[in-house]
């Protein structure tokens, strides 16, 4: 199984795979029985994404499963932290000693239609007009990655996740924060670009 990208560091193994029609993905071998009901109505492409993530996991931890608690994935046995993301034809997995969140987003102008859902007007002053799509996609992706580390059904990407102003030439050290009236957790995001996609990594 040829890898597309390897973004691993000292704390985490972070792998990206791009699907090829010649790849063999046997659902009976890869899908956990516990998840059979969950995926029964999935679109074929979404099912492929799920199986790709399992194939990546088997290459790293062949005796582990990906299970879910309140829609959040976790490893069984729980001997490491995990984050997964997919956007056909890509799928990615991160396995780490610490909590980690990864997210994969394709650059598309439609992001501009929903910026009010995940940013406040006073958060946008640093964004150049001619690269709005790039900046807002990064912000969305960073917030999604943070959500995978700190999440609550009572939280919103707009209200509780903050991305500080950044420049495109400094994408490996984007400052960000998760907060409510009880906590304020400062984090850093690392962003990579490939094939018109934004790939974001946030590690605790």
């Amino acid at each position: 199984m040829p890898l597309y990208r390897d973004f691993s560091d000292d704390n985490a193994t972070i792998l990206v795979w791009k699907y090829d029609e010649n790849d063999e993905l046997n659902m009976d071998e890869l899908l956990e029985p516990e998840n059979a009901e969950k995926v029964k109505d999935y679109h074929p492409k979404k099912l492929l994404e799920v199986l790709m993530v399992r194939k990546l996991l088997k290459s790293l931890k062949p005796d582990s499963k990906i299970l879910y608690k309140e829609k959040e994935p976790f490893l069984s046995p729980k001997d490491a932290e995990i984050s997964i993301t997919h956007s056909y034809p890509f799928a990615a997995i991160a396995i780490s000693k610490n909590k980690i969140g990864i997210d994969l987003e394709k650059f598309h102008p439609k992001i501009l239609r929903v910026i009010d859902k995940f940013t406040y007007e006073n958060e946008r002053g640093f964004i150049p007009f001619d690269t709005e799509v790039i900046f807002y996609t990064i912000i969305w992706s960073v917030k999604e990655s943070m959500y995978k580390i700190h999440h609550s059904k009572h939280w919103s990407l707009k209200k509780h996740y903050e991305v500080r102003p950044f420049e495109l030439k400094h994408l490996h050290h984007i400052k960000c924060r998760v907060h409510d009236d009880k906590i304020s957790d400062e984090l850093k995001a690392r962003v990579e670009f490939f094939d018109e996609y934004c790939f974001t990594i946030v590690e605790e």
Side-chain angles (χ1 to χ4, degrees):
M1 183 185 78
L3 285 174
Y4 187 76
R5 291 286 192 277
D6 185 339
F7 296 117
S8 303
D9 57 27
D10 292 341
N11 295 316
T13 301
I14 306 164
L15 306 177
V16 181
W17 182 18
K18 185 176 183 180
Y19 179 69
D20 183 284
E21 291 184 358
N22 295 319
D23 292 323
E24 292 186 13
L25 296 170
N26 187 319
M27 188 164 72
D28 293 334
E29 293 178 2
L30 295 173
L31 186 69
E32 306 86 354
E34 296 91 334
N35 291 322
E37 185 70 17
K38 177 183 175 67
V39 306
K40 69 176 185 178
D41 296 322
Y42 276 15
H43 186 279
K45 284 186 177 179
K46 187 172 183 180
L47 182 58
L48 281 176
E49 294 168 349
V50 169
L51 297 178
M52 288 163 67
V53 167
R54 269 68 183 173
K55 188 88 168 183
L56 285 168
L57 177 64
K58 292 297 182 187
S59 71
L60 299 170
K61 297 173 74 66
D63 296 323
S64 294
K65 297 179 179 180
I66 298 175
L67 302 179
Y68 295 86
K69 182 179 181 181
E70 297 178 355
K71 298 184 179 180
E72 293 299 317
F74 66 91
L75 275 181
S76 177
K78 199 173 190 317
D79 54 1
E81 299 291 337
I82 188 174
S83 184
I84 61 178
T85 185
H86 34 69
S87 179
Y88 186 86
F90 293 101
I93 190 170
I95 296 176
S96 176
K97 297 178 285 186
N98 306 314
K99 284 189 175 181
I100 188 168
I102 60 172
D103 185 66
L104 183 62
E105 302 289 341
K106 189 171 186 177
F107 293 110
H108 196 286
K110 68 182 180 182
I111 191 80
L112 301 179
R113 301 180 206 155
V114 296
I115 58 175
D116 287 333
K117 293 185 177 181
F118 67 95
T119 64
Y120 289 104
E121 190 171 345
N122 61 7
E123 293 181 281
R124 307 170 195 160
F126 72 97
I127 298 174
F129 177 76
D130 60 343
T131 48
E132 280 183 310
V133 172
I134 295 173
F135 273 87
Y136 284 120
T137 303
I138 291 170
I139 292 170
W140 173 271
S141 190
V142 171
K143 290 189 176 190
E144 284 282 342
S145 296
M146 283 193 286
Y147 178 83
K148 292 177 180 181
I149 295 177
H150 287 294
H151 61 273
S152 166
K153 63 183 179 181
H154 304 296
W155 286 357
S156 74
L157 292 187
K158 183 171 183 173
K159 186 175 181 181
H160 298 102
Y161 301 86
E162 177 186 0
V163 180
R164 304 274 168 74
F166 61 91
E167 299 178 14
L168 295 182
K169 61 184 177 181
H170 297 303
L171 291 179
H172 282 194
H173 303 283
I174 296 177
K175 294 181 180 179
C176 48
R177 181 172 74 115
V178 180
H179 61 96
D180 64 7
D181 57 353
K182 295 179 181 177
I183 69 158
S184 179
D185 195 356
E186 302 283 340
L187 299 163
K188 283 187 179 179
R190 171 164 49 121
V191 174
E192 307 283 353
F193 293 164
F194 56 82
D195 275 32
E196 300 181 354
Y197 279 81
C198 166
F199 183 62
T200 303
I201 303 158
V202 177
E203 298 179 73
E204 256 196 348

